[in-house]
Amino acid sequence: MHEIRTGSPDGARADFEKMLAQLASATNPNVRMIAANPGDWGIDAFAGDLGGAITVWQSKYFMPITTTNQSQQIRESLANGLKAAAANGHTIERWILCIPSSMDGPATHWWDGWKKRQEKTHGIVIELWDETKLVKRLQSPEGDQVRRAYYEPFTAPAAPANVSEAFRQGDPVPSGRTVTLLPPTSGLSEEEFPGLQRKVVGPHAGQSAAENQSGPGTLIGQWTPYDLEVHPAGPIMSSSRSGPQRRMLPGYVRREHDEIIAEAVEAAAEGQSRMVVLVGSSSTGKTRACWEAVQPLAEAGWRLWHPFDPTRADAALADLQQVRPHTVVWLNEAQHYLGDPRVGEQIAAAVHALLTDSERRPALVLGTLWPEYARQYAALPTPGIADPHSRVRELLAGRTLTVPEIFNAPALTAAAQLAVNGDQLLAEALTRTANSGRVTQDLAGAPELLRAYEHGSPAARALLEAAMDARRLGVGLHLPLTFLTEAALDYLDDSDLQGLGDDWAEAAFAELARTVHGKQAALRRVQSRLLRNAPTAGLKYAGPAVPVCRLADYLEQHGRTTRRRLCPPASFWQAACTYLTVPDDLSALSQEAEVRFRLSWADRLRHRAADSGSATAILELALLRDNSDDPAGAEELIRQAAALGNLFALEELARRRAQAGDYVETESIALHIANQGNTRTLIELGQRRERDGDYAGAERNYRQAANTGDAEALVKLAWMRRKAGDKSGAEALYRQAAEAGDPFALRNLAWMLQEAGDHAGAEEVALQAADQGNTFAFRGLAQNYERGGDYARSERFYKQAADAGDAEALRGLVVMWARSGGQSITDEVARQAVDSTSARAVRELVEVREQAGDRAGAERLAHRAANSGKPEVLLALSLMRAKAEDHTSAQNLARQAVEFGDTRALRELAQMREQAGDWAEAERLAHQAADSGDAFVLRRLAELRLKAGDRASAEHLAQQAANVGIRSSWGAFSVLVHAESRHLLRTMWPYGLDPDGAPTSEERDLTP
């Protein structure tokens, strides 16, 4: 609002300061402002006498969110104020920081600790007036006049009735932003609009466009939102009213996440590189939010690059290194880039290189993801198992932003105002969604799409279900029509199948191509861009284009939910083997066939994928060779996969060569991997050499990793110096690692000083780390002292870490008190620890209470944890009770964990009910778990039934588990090593299952 009032960020800052002075004056007498001449003594407004004690209000216009990036400015503001007070003879007894936004989690963590330290050091009171506090004060009777003066809404002037009047010859050309907002109301034809965009954007392109002319991308103003996959929302007649219809978008309603994207765009406009990935379900407005966000950059001549041809991943990998400054990299549906099994990790490394390359700054990377992909990439790997998303996880850390599925009350109010002002699309959508708030989904056509599926012809439904199964089992976005036509046959019953005419497929595709509300089609034909755009240099076109179509996003998600327990029929697998040609599609389907124990189809698809060039399939064949005691054959296949650039294959080859003692080739491979941004293999080689006593070789490998920017390698080098007795060298390396971003380096340095008896030095290092927002050193010292039995020192350091905002330190302190018996723990302290620590930490607190015999106290803490989003603590307590043979309490607690949404509790509760003889309830719980994608419970129940001699029931449950897909933490290769599940299923069906669930009658050769 301040920027709208004043027209610029600088004006907004000054306007915000004046508002604060008036708001402070409304509730405090004698408030005055200090003019900057040349400085302001670190005061924006104050109350009191400058010859005595004063209260200071310090304004910082941080928008749209306050992060730790602004912490230094806050430190300097207080320091400047205290310095000026000492020099000019007054004292600050109360210092109030005023910001118009809210702090994010890390910033809040830092503020709470910093505030306590400064209050203790300087003897002053420090307060925060943030967005919440300011709104409360402005809504109070005292602040009402200030609110009216600064925040009352105003009405913008109406736009000309005839847009052509706004573009008369000789008049100033409007801004690109103005032109971007024209389509819904201008009456311009779709043919006229791009020309007007080019006219406007051209004069504004300036130097940045010239700088970008050799890089990928096109001026933002030359894109339409539909080119970038924004869902159209409805038709509007052309200006002649009898001409062709064109697509349009409703007015845009800004929500909380838009402010955060705007901050990234503003930073990019000021010369910094930024990345934001919006996470949300289908049709929640993610892509539209990105489109709206980049419009200010259009006026500055920025370019936008949407890597697409011949595949998204190949195009991105080929040209990311060519991106020039002032370019927006558009990664809509980022799973097709970052989740690509061949090059996803390389793309993540290339994006990271772009963001950190000062020569290519500024760049802005915008992406979107569905929640399931975001969770998959963020999940930590199982120890000892290859990490398929390490670079992706690092890249996305701190760069994702959740888009809510529904409009909250302020958003609905804003949408209603747009509707009142003439936005017909929003007006119609609000009549259907006023109660649900699912405005964007309605605008994207979700209800009508579902109706087209549920009430379509049998042939149309069969095509949609084949498409749903293809997408949920891992086939790419573009589905060949020939594949769907053949796959659909077994989705029809005999009557419908016999009733098909010769042109049934054409008629069904035409039916599904009809748009709903002029927006989307259930299954639409996709024209290949290869027909219009030249392929990116260096990429080869794989073959002739075939007609393809794309399933609507909403129906894809609907299929993932409603068809989760179903295995596709035989026609699906046959069509896949016959008509699919993309290696990754074939490989994904081979894995899905395997987890469903359709072994014959898995074998055929795996070989087809390997023959087509899938590194993942080749690696699976290598693992099968290993299982057949053919390590030489396995290594040869691994070399084939490595030659395709597969990171896992390269790592596995390096591991095998290291085990064989061939460190020369291992190092060569490790350096190759490091050049792609992954230094793990180099560090592992260094550790192996260190264990072998080859310290020179180990140090060389660590330095090679450090030279690529790996801070962990510096910590390894410091440890070597420490073991060699070179304490000063170790300290220098630890500090270098800390500066490079390793969060544990200063902790390790503090430990080194502590072990040497330099307790003062260790505490000084911990204080330095805490001042930088890192409390690991304090907590690490506390843990060391606790292990050594020095509880007094341990308590002091735990408290210092907790005072600095470290919730885990509070947990450690409480657990230490309980185990040492040195101090009783009040319920209030325990509750504080539960509210602020991780689930793992809370489990320890609950266990301490349980072991001390305080069962009621343990349950109170577990319930409090569940209410604060940690239901797994209830499950942990349930397992403690089960171990103590208190089965009634264990089952009650497990049920409560299920009610709080912990699907893992379903496993335990189902087994408890099975063991109690309640088979019906056990099966109900198993099916509930299967609906969330977890077939383990069904498999486990089948195993118990088989042991009890009920083979028929066991086979029924095992088949249901197989239809869902039995997976484990091994990821892509779980099907080849999950011996326990395979043993059970092999016991029942030695040759696997057919798609319809019947046992396969003949074993195929499943080895390469």
Side-chain angles (χ1 to χ4, degrees):
M1 180 60 76
H2 292 282
E3 192 164 339
I4 294 174
R5 282 169 49 87
T6 62
S8 71
D10 289 340
R13 291 185 183 92
D15 196 49
F16 181 62
E17 288 179 14
K18 292 177 183 178
M19 184 280 296
L20 280 173
Q22 294 186 36
L23 182 61
S25 182
T27 54
N28 297 269
N30 194 28
V31 172
R32 290 172 283 173
M33 296 184 72
I34 293 288
N37 185 30
D40 60 7
W41 289 10
I43 300 172
D44 287 327
F46 75 99
D49 185 347
L50 282 179
I54 64 171
T55 294
V56 171
W57 285 265
Q58 179 65 51
S59 162
K60 289 295 177 186
Y61 191 72
F62 298 148
M63 284 292 287
I65 190 172
T66 302
T67 71
T68 52
N69 292 336
Q70 282 96 23
S71 61
Q72 187 59 33
Q73 295 184 50
I74 298 172
R75 289 190 188 97
E76 291 174 354
S77 291
L78 177 60
N80 291 340
L82 293 170
K83 182 178 179 181
N88 295 288
H90 61 270
T91 59
I92 299 175
E93 64 178 8
R94 185 176 172 216
W95 188 80
I96 304 171
L97 174 67
C98 305
I99 55 176
S101 58
S102 298
M103 292 183 175
D104 65 10
T108 302
H109 183 181
W110 168 82
W111 167 266
D112 291 344
W114 178 83
K115 172 181 177 292
K116 291 177 182 177
R117 293 194 299 275
Q118 301 308 312
E119 286 180 328
K120 183 177 181 180
T121 301
H122 302 291
I124 63 175
V125 175
I126 296 177
E127 296 180 20
L128 175 65
W129 286 12
D130 61 357
E131 180 180 16
T132 303
K133 184 68 71 69
L134 287 173
V135 168
K136 183 176 181 179
R137 288 181 174 273
L138 286 165
Q139 290 176 341
S140 68
E142 294 82 4
D144 183 66
Q145 292 299 321
V146 180
R147 179 183 59 79
R148 291 175 180 273
Y150 282 86
Y151 300 105
E152 283 289 279
F154 64 94
T155 303
N162 188 341
V163 174
S164 62
E165 295 178 8
F167 306 123
R168 291 176 297 191
Q169 186 70 28
D171 283 355
V173 177
S175 71
R177 174 65 173 167
T178 299
V179 174
T180 301
L181 295 173
L182 283 175
T185 57
S186 65
L188 292 173
S189 72
E190 196 161 6
E191 291 72 28
E192 295 172 300
F193 183 66
L196 178 59
Q197 282 189 311
R198 286 189 288 273
K199 175 181 176 183
V200 171
V201 174
H204 290 276
Q207 181 180 1
S208 61
E211 291 171 354
N212 280 281
Q213 62 185 359
S214 61
T218 304
L219 289 173
I220 293 175
Q222 294 179 3
W223 291 92
T224 72
Y226 317 113
D227 292 331
L228 300 173
E229 302 171 324
V230 175
H231 293 312
I236 186 171
M237 295 301 294
S238 70
S239 55
S240 67
R241 302 200 56 84
S242 61
Q245 292 185 327
R246 64 177 177 83
R247 296 169 295 182
M248 66 172 289
L249 294 176
Y252 189 65
V253 178
R254 290 180 66 86
R255 293 183 280 167
E256 288 84 351
H257 59 272
D258 292 291
E259 304 303 325
I260 300 175
I261 311 174
E263 181 187 49
V265 171
E266 182 179 351
E270 293 175 353
Q272 304 173 54
S273 290
R274 289 288 186 268
M275 178 179 184
V276 178
V277 176
L278 274 64
V279 177
S281 299
S282 171
S283 304
T284 50
K286 304 183 295 296
T287 312
R288 176 74 186 276
C290 292
W291 168 254
E292 296 294 332
V294 301
Q295 297 313 306
L297 300 179
E299 301 178 18
W302 277 57
R303 297 166 73 85
L304 186 147
W305 175 49
H306 183 199
F308 198 92
D309 297 326
T311 71
R312 298 179 188 231
D314 288 334
L317 186 63
D319 271 358
L320 267 168
Q321 293 182 348
Q322 308 305 318
V323 172
R324 308 307 304 154
H326 301 96
T327 300
V328 176
V329 178
W330 192 267
L331 302 182
N332 194 45
E333 298 197 46
Q335 68 271 16
H336 299 303
Y337 302 96
L338 303 177
D340 186 277
R342 297 175 297 111
V343 297
E345 287 287 270
Q346 296 178 55
I347 291 173
V351 172
H352 181 266
L354 170 64
L355 295 172
T356 57
D357 187 348
S358 60
E359 297 297 321
R360 295 190 284 165
R361 188 178 299 156
L364 176 64
V365 182
L366 293 178
T368 65
L369 272 178
W370 286 357
E372 52 262 44
Y373 293 114
R375 289 192 294 267
Q376 177 184 341
Y377 303 152
L380 294 174
T382 301
I385 305 303
D387 184 357
H389 303 300
S390 62
R391 293 310 306 263
V392 175
R393 184 167 56 254
E394 293 168 5
L395 178 69
L396 294 181
R399 295 187 171 109
T400 58
L401 175 63
T402 299
V403 176
E405 294 202 6
I406 64 172
F407 274 30
N408 60 15
L412 287 171
T413 300
Q417 186 60 51
L418 288 172
V420 169
N421 293 341
D423 193 312
Q424 185 178 356
L425 287 173
L426 274 175
E428 292 176 356
L430 288 172
T431 64
R432 298 185 293 267
T433 61
N435 293 326
S436 70
R438 300 176 69 83
V439 178
T440 56
Q441 293 89 336
D442 186 89
L443 288 167
E448 291 298 321
L449 289 170
L450 190 58
R451 191 172 293 113
Y453 165 57
E454 292 177 342
H455 301 288
S457 67
R461 283 180 59 90
L463 287 172
L464 285 178
E465 287 174 353
M468 289 176 183
D469 285 347
R471 288 294 293 135
R472 72 185 176 93
L473 267 60
V475 180
L477 279 175
H478 296 160
L479 306 171
L481 270 64
T482 50
F483 159 68
L484 290 177
T485 302
E486 293 299 316
L489 295 177
D490 285 351
Y491 289 84
L492 296 161
D493 63 28
D494 289 341
S495 175
D496 291 328
L497 182 63
Q498 297 306 318
L500 293 179
D502 292 340
D503 62 347
W504 73 270
E506 290 81 359
F509 280 120
E511 175 185 341
L512 296 172
R514 298 188 194 116
T515 57
V516 293
H517 292 315
K519 298 166 289 191
Q520 291 189 81
L523 195 66
R524 71 176 189 273
R525 288 282 293 269
V526 178
Q527 183 180 0
S528 172
R529 295 191 182 199
L530 289 170
L531 302 178
R532 304 194 302 273
N533 299 341
T536 306
L539 293 176
K540 295 180 179 180
Y541 181 42
V546 296
V548 295
C549 58
R550 177 171 175 177
L551 179 67
D553 286 351
Y554 181 81
L555 290 180
E556 179 182 333
Q557 283 202 322
H558 181 72
R560 289 177 185 271
T561 302
T562 60
R563 299 186 59 79
R564 190 188 299 275
R565 294 195 209 173
L566 303 177
C567 179
S571 62
F572 176 92
W573 303 105
Q574 181 64 60
C577 279
T578 305
Y579 294 106
L580 295 183
T581 59
V582 177
D584 292 342
D585 293 348
L586 292 164
S587 177
L589 287 180
S590 75
Q591 294 168 20
E592 293 298 329
E594 187 81 34
V595 299
R596 288 166 175 79
F597 211 55
R598 271 61 181 184
L599 302 181
S600 175
W601 287 111
D603 179 53
R604 291 177 60 182
L605 286 161
R606 186 180 299 119
H607 280 87
R608 281 270 287 121
D611 292 342
S612 300
S614 167
T616 300
I618 295 171
L619 285 169
E620 288 181 329
L621 292 174
L623 289 172
L624 285 172
R625 288 285 180 102
D626 271 337
N627 291 345
S628 301
D629 294 324
D630 182 9
E635 183 166 322
E636 179 58 34
L637 288 167
I638 291 169
R639 288 187 182 275
Q640 291 180 26
L644 294 172
N646 182 272
L647 179 62
F648 182 90
L650 288 164
E651 291 178 329
E652 178 63 16
L653 182 59
R655 185 185 67 81
R656 289 177 183 243
R657 297 319 305 151
Q659 285 181 337
D662 185 356
Y663 287 0
V664 174
E665 184 177 6
T666 302
E667 184 168 325
S668 175
I669 298 169
L671 286 170
H672 176 71
I673 298 172
N675 288 334
Q676 298 181 40
N678 190 322
T679 58
R680 180 173 56 228
T681 306
L682 261 179
I683 290 179
E684 288 176 354
L685 177 58
Q687 291 172 315
R688 184 181 290 270
R689 279 181 156 152
E690 194 175 348
R691 288 194 299 269
D692 292 348
D694 180 7
Y695 299 116
E699 182 166 344
R700 181 175 70 254
N701 294 146
Y702 290 149
R703 290 200 178 278
Q704 288 166 338
N707 289 339
T708 66
D710 191 317
E712 181 188 356
L714 294 169
V715 173
K716 299 291 185 186
L717 285 168
W719 174 250
M720 289 186 67
R721 298 269 62 77
R722 179 178 171 183
K723 287 197 302 183
D726 181 5
K727 297 294 192 292
S728 61
E731 179 172 348
L733 286 164
Y734 278 135
R735 292 191 180 278
Q736 186 181 347
E739 291 174 2
D742 189 285
F744 303 108
L746 289 179
R747 181 203 64 182
N748 292 356
L749 174 56
W751 278 353
M752 183 183 79
L753 296 172
Q754 179 190 36
E755 289 173 4
D758 185 0
H759 301 290
E763 185 168 357
E764 182 180 353
V765 169
L767 284 167
Q768 293 169 3
D771 198 45
Q772 297 171 19
N774 184 336
T775 58
F776 286 130
F778 269 139
R779 191 178 353 134
L781 289 176
Q783 290 166 341
N784 264 3
Y785 283 126
E786 181 183 357
R787 281 192 288 268
D790 190 343
Y791 297 121
R793 274 194 172 133
S794 177
E795 179 176 332
R796 181 161 65 86
F797 283 110
Y798 272 135
K799 285 182 175 179
Q800 285 181 281
D803 288 344
D806 187 338
E808 292 296 308
L810 177 61
R811 186 273 311 169
L813 178 61
V814 172
V815 171
M816 185 191 72
W817 281 344
R819 289 177 176 166
S820 66
Q823 183 169 334
S824 61
I825 307 168
T826 65
D827 282 350
E828 181 57 34
V829 171
R831 284 195 296 268
Q832 184 182 354
V834 167
D835 291 344
S836 59
T837 58
S838 67
R840 180 189 62 81
V842 177
R843 285 199 301 269
E844 290 187 41
L845 298 178
V846 170
E847 184 179 1
V848 167
R849 282 272 170 105
E850 184 78 359
Q851 291 176 347
D854 184 4
R855 290 166 57 92
E859 286 193 28
R860 283 197 302 272
L861 292 181
H863 280 107
R864 188 176 185 91
N867 282 315
S868 63
K870 308 179 187 79
E872 57 267 47
V873 178
L874 276 171
L875 176 59
L877 182 57
S878 168
L879 295 177
M880 294 179 207
R881 298 279 169 89
K883 188 175 181 179
E885 298 188 355
D886 184 353
H887 301 297
T888 300
S889 177
Q891 290 183 37
N892 288 336
L893 289 166
R895 284 195 185 92
Q896 293 166 23
V898 170
E899 290 171 2
F900 276 102
D902 188 349
T903 56
R904 289 172 298 177
L906 288 167
R907 292 188 181 186
E908 302 300 331
L909 185 56
Q911 291 186 68
M912 292 176 189
R913 296 314 306 153
E914 178 84 3
Q915 290 164 355
D918 188 353
W919 287 18
E921 176 64 6
E923 284 193 31
R924 187 191 70 79
L925 292 166
H927 287 124
Q928 187 178 341
D931 285 338
S932 67
D934 184 358
F936 175 86
V937 188
L938 285 167
R939 183 198 68 77
R940 178 61 178 157
L941 291 184
E943 189 175 44
L944 293 174
R945 299 280 171 91
L946 190 64
K947 288 180 180 178
D950 187 352
R951 185 179 181 89
S953 178
E955 288 188 355
H956 176 70
L957 290 168
Q959 185 180 106
Q960 291 179 322
N963 287 345
V964 174
I966 303 175
R967 308 170 195 275
S968 77
S969 59
W970 283 82
F973 309 118
S974 63
V975 296
L976 302 177
V977 294
H978 195 197
E980 186 178 1
S981 294
R982 286 181 67 86
H983 176 73
L984 172 68
L985 299 181
R986 283 280 193 185
T987 299
M988 299 178 176
W989 310 295
Y991 309 133
L993 293 170
D994 288 339
D996 63 359
T1000 302
S1001 58
E1002 180 182 353
E1003 182 175 20
R1004 296 179 55 86
D1005 182 8
L1006 301 182
T1007 59

